Structure formats: structure tokens, C-alpha cells
Amino acid sequence: MAAASGSVRLQRCMVSPAGRHSASLIFLHGSGDSGQGLRTWIKQVLNQELTFQHIKIIYPTAPPRPYTPMKGGISNVWFDRFKISNDCPEHLESINVMCQVLTDLIDDEVKSGIKKNRILVGGFSMGGCMAMHLAYRNHQDVAGVFALSSFLNKTSAVYQALQESDVILPELFQCHGTADELVLHSWGEETNSRLKSLGVSTKFLSFPGVYHELSKAELEKLKSWILTKLPGEMERQSE
């Protein structure tokens, strides 16, 4: 199920910065969720909204499409998978279509005056995988990438793209629960190791006893990392 670029405009919910907008964060949800659903989930885990003084947060919603792991049922997913496994081919056609759709989202921020090196992309589960494809194959000049409970397939097009790259790549911040039974912790570790071997500066944080879910400790670490990648005006002047 392909869609031409430009024909899909993603629904999105946004959290405006408290002060002057000087950076943007695109946060992609997991399969079957929505931008509003992810925003609400984060708020429940943190007991408060995730907000920043200078960073706008964009939570887009994946358009509904047939999803093979659900026997072809319609779901809000960024792309299709043949199965939830790291040992099968990627459904590259659907991934490539969504890379183009999400590029439009990045372009919107650039047109509004935000530089590419002041934009972060990341997500939870499938959203993290989508963010890695988006950044490492198409936008190697963003400020950084984060992936929570995510993985890349063993023969991922991301690895192939990085073998041909000779630029300084955005840093990857990865988190994974050791008790995750849907996306195994070892799949996340293997993804991190492969990317590191291909020249990506990576961080990998393990969270004992955490399943396929967001945790408060993880989100607090993520928030700190975001601020190191997208510092506010005062912090940038004092560097």
C-alpha cells in the first residue's frame, strides 16, 4: 500500500515551548498508537507533561494501513513488517514512503526558521526504528536520534546506507528494558553495536525489570540527553 509523497499530511499534536522556539523534537509513537496517545502516556509516566523552555515537541500520528503481523488488519503503523523479528527482510517500500512523508514534517520546521542541526528525531518501538531510517538514511545532519525499545533488522537498509557514508553522523541515544518480551533486549543491543561499528556515536542504557514500555527513569534520562543535544540560548552562549 504505497502513497505518493505530498498526498499524505500527517495528523500531529504539538506541545509548544514555554519560551522562544529555537529547536524542535519529532517523537514517533509505537505501532497501533497515535501522537496524542503517546503524549498522554508520557504524561502519565512522568506525572507531568514533557515540556521544554525552547523546544517544540511534535507528536505525529502514522496513517492507518494494513499491518501483516495483525493478519492484514488496519493499524496506525509507520510501515509494514513481514513479522516482528530481527531476522527477516525489511518492508522497504512502506519504510521509504514514510521517510518521504516525515521529510515533509522536517521541511516544515526548517521553513519556519529552525535549522536541521536544531531538530531531534526519535521514537518508541517501531517509532524508534522509523527515526533511525529517517535520520541515518535521509537526514544525517539532524542534531541526534533516540530509540526506546527499538531495533533494526539484521540486513537493515540503515546499515547499508552507513557503509557508504563518510560524514559525521548524529548521535544515537538508545534505551531498552531487560524484561522486554516483544522486542528483545538483545535485538536492541545488537542494533547499537552494529551502528557503533559503522561510525555512529551511541549511548545504550538498560533498564532492569522493564518490559516493552516507557519508564520514568528512562524518560528522565532522555530529557537530560535532549537538553545536551538542543541546549537553550543561555547554555549555548556559555559554551
Side-chain angles (χ1 to χ4, degrees):
M1 180 180 170
S5 167
S7 66
V8 177
R9 183 162 175 82
L10 297 174
Q11 286 186 324
R12 62 197 83 174
C13 89
M14 287 183 263
V15 179
S16 297
R20 192 178 79 80
H21 176 208
S22 67
S24 295
L25 168 66
I26 298 171
F27 205 145
L28 305 178
H29 63 75
S31 61
D33 202 354
S34 66
Q36 184 61 55
L38 177 58
R39 176 185 175 178
T40 302
W41 188 18
I42 290 170
K43 188 174 182 179
Q44 289 169 345
V45 173
L46 285 176
N47 293 317
Q48 61 181 13
E49 187 90 71
L50 179 63
T51 57
F52 297 91
Q53 188 67 26
H54 58 289
I55 304 169
K56 176 171 82 175
I57 308 176
I58 304 161
Y59 296 103
T61 295
R65 59 155 296 130
Y67 189 45
T68 300
M70 286 176 53
K71 297 187 168 69
I74 303 297
S75 187
N76 290 79
V77 289
W78 297 110
F79 52 87
D80 199 8
R81 290 189 185 280
F82 294 107
K83 57 182 177 177
I84 300 173
S85 166
N86 70 341
D87 204 11
C88 68
E90 292 175 316
H91 196 287
L92 209 50
E93 180 195 1
S94 58
I95 292 171
N96 290 346
V97 166
M98 196 49 58
C99 278
Q100 192 53 59
V101 172
L102 288 165
T103 289
D104 293 343
L105 199 59
I106 291 173
D107 289 346
D108 285 348
E109 291 309 293
V110 173
K111 284 172 192 163
S112 76
I114 303 300
K115 293 178 180 170
K116 283 277 283 295
N117 66 3
R118 294 286 289 163
I119 298 173
L120 274 179
V121 297
F124 173 76
S125 194
M126 172 184 271
C129 176
M130 188 71 240
M132 289 187 277
H133 274 273
L134 182 64
Y136 292 122
R137 293 176 59 213
N138 299 273
H139 299 281
Q140 296 179 349
D141 49 351
V142 294
V145 185
F146 63 92
L148 314 176
S149 309
S150 306
F151 73 100
L152 292 171
N153 297 44
K154 288 183 177 184
T155 57
S156 177
V158 173
Y159 301 142
Q160 293 165 30
L162 293 183
Q163 283 170 348
E164 298 156 14
S165 176
D166 58 358
V167 301
I168 296 173
L169 299 161
E171 183 176 276
L172 172 67
F173 182 83
Q174 223 177 325
C175 298
H176 217 114
T178 61
D180 194 331
E181 294 168 338
L182 182 67
V183 175
L184 300 184
H185 181 266
S186 61
W187 297 358
E189 276 188 315
E190 183 181 298
T191 297
N192 195 275
S193 297
R194 286 285 303 277
L195 290 172
K196 185 174 280 188
S197 75
L198 289 165
V200 178
S201 172
T202 68
K203 289 179 168 38
F204 187 87
L205 302 182
S206 299
F207 292 84
V210 172
Y211 293 88
H212 194 66
E213 60 190 341
L214 295 172
S215 75
K216 188 171 184 181
E218 168 189 49
L219 289 174
E220 286 170 348
K221 295 275 190 191
L222 174 64
K223 187 169 185 177
S224 297
W225 178 80
I226 288 167
L227 287 169
T228 67
K229 294 284 120 186
L230 299 175
E233 293 300 318
M234 294 305 292
E235 291 90 337
R236 290 163 76 195
Q237 287 167 10
S238 63
E239 282 178 0

